[in-house]
Amino acid sequence: AKNLKQLYPEVLAEDIVVPLSRIPATIDFIAELERKFGVVIVPFGHIGDGNIHVDICRTENDRSSWCQKCKQAVDELIDFILKEGGQITAEHGIGSLKRRLLKKGLGEAEINLMKKIKKTLDPDGILNPGKILP
Protein backbone atom coordinates (compact mmCIF):
# COMPACT_ATOMS: atom_id res chain seq x y z
CA ALA A 1 0.00 0.00 0.00
CA LYS A 2 1.20 3.49 -0.80
CA ASN A 3 1.29 6.21 1.80
CA LEU A 4 -0.22 9.66 1.20
CA LYS A 5 3.14 11.30 0.48
CA GLN A 6 3.58 8.91 -2.44
CA LEU A 7 0.15 9.81 -3.83
CA TYR A 8 0.18 13.59 -3.36
CA PRO A 9 2.92 16.18 -3.89
CA GLU A 10 2.41 17.61 -0.40
CA VAL A 11 0.54 16.73 2.78
CA LEU A 12 -0.18 19.01 5.74
CA ALA A 13 -0.32 16.83 8.86
CA GLU A 14 -2.39 17.93 11.85
CA ASP A 15 -3.18 16.05 15.02
CA ILE A 16 -6.10 16.87 17.25
CA VAL A 17 -7.77 15.22 20.20
CA VAL A 18 -11.46 15.14 21.07
CA PRO A 19 -13.54 13.35 23.69
CA LEU A 20 -14.39 9.84 22.50
CA SER A 21 -18.09 10.68 22.34
CA ARG A 22 -17.33 13.49 19.86
CA ILE A 23 -15.38 11.40 17.35
CA PRO A 24 -18.34 10.78 15.01
CA ALA A 25 -19.26 14.49 14.93
CA THR A 26 -15.60 15.39 14.34
CA ILE A 27 -15.26 12.95 11.42
CA ASP A 28 -18.49 14.37 9.95
CA PHE A 29 -17.13 17.90 10.34
CA ILE A 30 -13.87 16.94 8.63
CA ALA A 31 -15.91 15.59 5.69
CA GLU A 32 -17.76 18.94 5.57
CA LEU A 33 -14.42 20.80 5.46
CA GLU A 34 -13.27 18.54 2.65
CA ARG A 35 -16.35 19.43 0.58
CA LYS A 36 -16.28 23.11 1.50
CA PHE A 37 -12.64 23.67 0.54
CA GLY A 38 -12.38 21.11 -2.26
CA VAL A 39 -9.39 19.33 -0.75
CA VAL A 40 -8.68 15.72 0.17
CA ILE A 41 -8.63 15.29 3.95
CA VAL A 42 -7.73 11.93 5.44
CA PRO A 43 -8.52 11.40 9.15
CA PHE A 44 -6.81 8.44 10.82
CA GLY A 45 -4.84 7.57 13.91
CA HIS A 46 -5.38 6.53 17.48
CA ILE A 47 -9.09 7.08 17.42
CA GLY A 48 -9.56 4.81 20.46
CA ASP A 49 -8.16 7.58 22.67
CA GLY A 50 -9.62 10.50 20.71
CA ASN A 51 -6.36 11.30 18.89
CA ILE A 52 -7.16 11.96 15.24
CA HIS A 53 -4.47 12.68 12.69
CA VAL A 54 -5.81 14.89 9.93
CA ASP A 55 -3.84 14.97 6.69
CA ILE A 56 -4.79 17.61 4.14
CA CYS A 57 -3.48 16.54 0.75
CA ARG A 58 -2.54 18.87 -2.09
CA THR A 59 -4.24 17.83 -5.31
CA GLU A 60 -3.87 21.10 -7.18
CA ASN A 61 -0.89 22.74 -8.89
CA ASP A 62 -1.47 26.13 -7.26
CA ARG A 63 0.36 25.66 -3.95
CA SER A 64 -0.48 29.12 -2.58
CA SER A 65 -4.19 28.50 -3.10
CA TRP A 66 -3.89 25.13 -1.38
CA CYS A 67 -1.98 26.70 1.54
CA GLN A 68 -4.74 29.29 1.98
CA LYS A 69 -7.41 26.57 1.93
CA CYS A 70 -5.40 24.58 4.50
CA LYS A 71 -5.13 27.58 6.83
CA GLN A 72 -8.86 28.25 6.64
CA ALA A 73 -9.75 24.58 7.07
CA VAL A 74 -7.40 24.18 10.06
CA ASP A 75 -8.78 27.33 11.69
CA GLU A 76 -12.34 26.03 11.33
CA LEU A 77 -11.31 22.58 12.55
CA ILE A 78 -9.60 24.02 15.63
CA ASP A 79 -12.61 26.18 16.47
CA PHE A 80 -14.84 23.12 16.11
CA ILE A 81 -12.78 20.77 18.26
CA LEU A 82 -12.34 23.35 21.02
CA LYS A 83 -16.11 23.83 21.06
CA GLU A 84 -16.45 20.03 21.32
CA GLY A 85 -14.13 19.88 24.35
CA GLY A 86 -10.99 18.82 22.47
CA GLN A 87 -7.51 20.29 22.14
CA ILE A 88 -5.44 21.62 19.25
CA THR A 89 -2.83 18.88 19.47
CA ALA A 90 -2.67 15.34 20.73
CA GLU A 91 0.82 13.84 20.57
CA HIS A 92 2.74 16.00 18.12
CA GLY A 93 2.79 19.13 20.25
CA ILE A 94 2.48 22.73 19.16
CA GLY A 95 5.54 23.22 16.98
CA SER A 96 6.18 26.28 14.86
CA LEU A 97 3.22 25.60 12.54
CA LYS A 98 0.68 25.66 15.37
CA ARG A 99 2.26 28.51 17.31
CA ARG A 100 -0.38 30.92 16.01
CA LEU A 101 -3.09 28.63 17.41
CA LEU A 102 -1.64 28.28 20.92
CA LYS A 103 -3.76 31.07 22.39
CA LYS A 104 -6.92 29.42 21.06
CA GLY A 105 -6.14 26.18 22.86
CA LEU A 106 -4.78 27.63 26.09
CA GLY A 107 -5.57 30.65 28.19
CA GLU A 108 -3.16 33.39 29.25
CA ALA A 109 -2.66 31.75 32.67
CA GLU A 110 -1.51 28.49 31.08
CA ILE A 111 0.79 30.26 28.64
CA ASN A 112 2.30 32.38 31.44
CA LEU A 113 2.90 29.21 33.48
CA MET A 114 4.65 27.64 30.48
CA LYS A 115 6.85 30.76 30.19
CA LYS A 116 7.78 30.51 33.88
CA ILE A 117 8.66 26.83 33.54
CA LYS A 118 10.72 27.58 30.43
CA LYS A 119 12.57 30.38 32.26
CA THR A 120 13.24 28.09 35.23
CA LEU A 121 14.56 25.22 33.12
CA ASP A 122 16.31 27.43 30.54
CA PRO A 123 17.34 30.65 32.32
CA ASP A 124 19.70 31.68 29.50
CA GLY A 125 17.13 31.06 26.75
CA ILE A 126 19.43 28.80 24.74
CA LEU A 127 17.02 25.88 24.14
CA ASN A 128 14.91 26.52 21.03
CA PRO A 129 15.07 30.30 21.46
CA GLY A 130 11.85 32.03 20.38
CA LYS A 131 10.50 28.81 18.85
CA ILE A 132 7.16 28.66 20.66
CA LEU A 133 7.30 31.02 23.62
CA PRO A 134 8.71 34.49 23.00
Side-chain angles (χ1 to χ4, degrees):
K2 292 185 177 190
N3 67 38
L4 292 177
K5 291 182 180 182
Q6 292 174 312
L7 298 173
Y8 299 100
E10 193 167 1
V11 175
L12 174 69
E14 290 290 333
D15 79 318
I16 57 171
V17 64
V18 295
L20 293 177
S21 65
R22 303 312 301 152
I23 289 175
T26 303
I27 299 299
D28 288 344
F29 186 77
I30 290 169
E32 287 177 33
L33 291 175
E34 187 175 47
R35 286 187 294 276
K36 178 178 180 178
F37 292 103
V39 294
V40 173
I41 303 177
V42 180
F44 65 97
H46 319 278
I47 292 178
D49 63 4
N51 177 349
I52 305 171
H53 296 279
V54 180
D55 283 0
I56 306 174
C57 306
R58 180 162 64 93
T59 58
E60 57 193 80
N61 290 330
D62 184 349
R63 185 176 187 278
S64 70
S65 171
W66 174 75
C67 286
Q68 184 60 34
K69 290 175 185 178
C70 286
K71 182 182 180 306
Q72 292 172 325
V74 167
D75 285 349
E76 289 189 27
L77 177 62
I78 296 304
D79 289 343
F80 175 84
I81 60 110
L82 289 172
K83 183 182 71 142
E84 296 296 315
Q87 275 299 325
I88 66 174
T89 189
E91 63 185 358
H92 294 174
I94 298 300
S96 57
L97 291 176
K98 283 191 175 179
R99 180 179 178 176
R100 68 181 184 81
L101 300 170
L102 184 61
K103 287 184 180 178
K104 280 187 173 193
L106 298 175
E108 285 298 319
E110 290 88 351
I111 292 173
N112 287 334
L113 178 59
M114 290 170 68
K115 287 178 181 180
K116 287 178 184 176
I117 293 170
K118 165 86 168 139
K119 184 69 176 163
T120 300
L121 297 175
D122 182 21
D124 297 324
I126 60 172
L127 304 173
N128 275 339
K131 194 73 167 180
I132 302 298
L133 300 171

